[in-house]
Amino acid sequence: MKVRVLVSFKESVLDPQGQTVKNALHSLGYNFVKDVRQGKVFEIEVDDLPREQLKVKIPEMADKVLANPIIEKFEWEILD
Amino acid sequence: MKFGVVIFPGSNCDYDTYWVLKEVFNQETVFLWHKDHSLQGIDCVVLPGGFSYGDYLRSGAIARFSPLMQEVREFAARGGLVLGICNGFQVLLELGLLPGAMLRNKNLKFLCQFVHLKISNARTPFTNQGREGQVLRIPIAHYDGNFYAPPETMEEIKKNNQIVLQYSTPAGNVTPEANVNGSLENIAGLINKQGNVLGMMPHPERASEAVLGSEDGQIIFQSIISWLS
């Protein structure tokens, strides 16, 4: 069973790397790009646990380790 | 008086810090391995600079879970002196012993240079041998030193006078131009509310001997020694 966790900066936090990527895209002519936020993706192989248990454990892991809740937010999904 | 310098895999200022405490200040100093469970009766613990665990995930994020860090947490709760330098500062933030977090430097560059720092609070165990407004010249070397905290946390920090060192001009003016990495309030050094845990991005151990270009970093170590005496 695979789980994907996506960690990105909160809206209130500046993301200079995303800004730089946006500027690079603009300089290549992709001017329709309005904003870029860069984040991290974790693909995590886990035991086949009941969904209810994952709903507790995965956010707990994300909060404790994968993301720093002061500056980052996360979302997650079960891949298969 | 006994000092302990923590070694994580990837620490690289551990020996410099040990050298300064032992050879420059003649203090009893021991190394503490991150997997140890004892602080060996030390009076002050230093988390040195470097790249603990290769900065994987986030700077300081993995080091925070080392067994010794639980001891450090309890030591701090009992009022023990904790000094985190550079990566050590980042570990203290991840550990929650200091408020806020580090973002990548505003210009996305690794900064390795001398900077000027204004002492904004000289009534701490780490700065009592300096005076408020005094300017120190100490080098920085970091990628993630752009201090951030949400507005309500910043208010607390200011209210409690927790800002100890600020990036400044050589004359001691705290200006946007002097703010090398984009930190809120030009924060270079921050203390906890209780006043026994200091995190600082600049490296005082690299500025404690004239041969290295500055002795201004001595003030930090002298202050700790004087406080513990």
Side-chain angles (χ1 to χ4, degrees):
Chain A
M1 187 175 213
K2 245 186 187 173
V3 167
R4 179 184 287 152
V5 180
L6 178 68
V7 175
S8 56
F9 285 121
K10 289 179 174 173
E11 298 306 324
S12 53
V13 175
L14 277 177
D15 175 13
Q17 293 185 88
Q19 289 295 309
T20 305
V21 172
K22 183 183 85 176
N23 294 343
L25 292 171
H26 281 180
S27 71
L28 290 171
Y30 299 110
N31 293 313
F32 62 94
V33 173
K34 282 182 167 168
D35 195 20
V36 179
R37 306 285 287 177
Q38 189 175 314
K40 295 174 194 160
V41 175
F42 299 86
E43 282 182 357
I44 306 173
E45 189 108 28
V46 297
D47 290 340
D48 289 333
L49 296 179
R51 210 160 268 255
E52 292 310 306
Q53 219 170 324
L54 284 179
K55 274 187 181 167
V56 175
K57 292 287 174 196
I58 300 296
E60 187 184 300
M61 268 168 43
D63 228 17
K64 213 185 271 185
V65 185
L66 304 180
N68 180 342
I70 298 172
I71 47 175
E72 293 168 325
K73 58 184 168 60
F74 67 87
E75 47 199 88
W76 69 281
E77 61 182 332
I78 295 168
L79 292 183
D80 53 48
Chain B
M1 193 178 314
K2 191 170 163 186
F3 286 84
V5 178
V6 180
I7 304 179
F8 298 103
S11 295
N12 65 9
C13 303
D14 39 359
Y15 278 81
D16 306 52
T17 308
Y18 181 89
W19 167 269
V20 169
L21 288 165
K22 182 126 181 167
E23 304 298 334
V24 179
F25 289 102
N26 294 310
Q27 299 299 311
E28 186 184 356
T29 307
V30 292
F31 281 124
L32 301 167
W33 181 236
H34 72 116
K35 282 192 172 162
D36 288 350
H37 291 269
S38 162
L39 290 177
Q40 300 182 29
I42 51 156
D43 302 291
C44 174
V45 61
V46 185
L47 310 187
F51 300 85
S52 59
Y53 294 89
D55 275 353
Y56 296 162
L57 189 59
R58 296 179 303 277
S59 308
I62 309 287
R64 160 194 168 199
F65 296 106
S66 293
L68 194 72
M69 285 305 99
Q70 301 321 308
E71 301 298 322
V72 168
R73 195 196 291 273
E74 286 167 28
F75 178 72
R78 292 196 302 270
L81 295 190
V82 181
L83 171 62
I85 301 168
C86 196
N87 187 230
F89 187 1
Q90 295 162 339
V91 174
L92 290 174
L93 291 166
E94 285 283 342
L95 200 56
L97 285 181
L98 290 172
M102 287 298 178
L103 300 171
R104 188 128 289 184
N105 295 340
K106 68 177 172 191
N107 59 5
L108 299 178
K109 288 196 168 75
F110 186 97
L111 298 170
C112 185
Q113 63 195 63
F114 269 97
V115 294
H116 292 93
L117 305 163
K118 179 189 148 191
I119 299 181
S120 310
N121 181 351
R123 285 160 300 166
T124 80
F126 309 92
T127 49
N128 59 73
Q129 295 301 297
R131 51 172 209 288
E132 228 136 282
Q134 185 177 347
V135 177
L136 307 178
R137 195 173 152 271
I138 296 180
I140 53 167
H142 61 248
Y143 209 160
D144 301 305
N146 180 353
F147 180 82
Y148 171 85
E152 59 278 13
T153 308
M154 279 311 294
E155 251 172 63
E156 281 287 305
I157 286 173
K158 283 194 258 183
K159 196 179 81 191
N160 298 320
N161 209 11
Q162 287 173 253
I163 302 175
V164 174
L165 299 167
Q166 288 174 291
Y167 300 108
S168 76
T169 65
N173 296 314
V174 177
T175 63
E177 295 72 36
N179 194 5
V180 283
N181 54 22
S183 292
L184 289 179
E185 298 288 332
N186 289 41
I187 288 176
L190 182 72
I191 201 163
N192 64 338
K193 198 175 163 189
Q194 292 72 26
N196 63 314
V197 178
L198 179 81
M200 60 186 290
M201 288 314 290
H203 287 270
E205 81 283 5
R206 294 189 190 178
S208 287
E209 291 165 282
V211 69
L212 296 179
S214 170
E215 292 180 299
D216 290 358
Q218 284 200 2
I219 282 189
I220 305 294
F221 302 109
Q222 279 163 351
S223 297
I224 299 172
I225 292 164
S226 147
W227 184 271
L228 290 171
S229 301

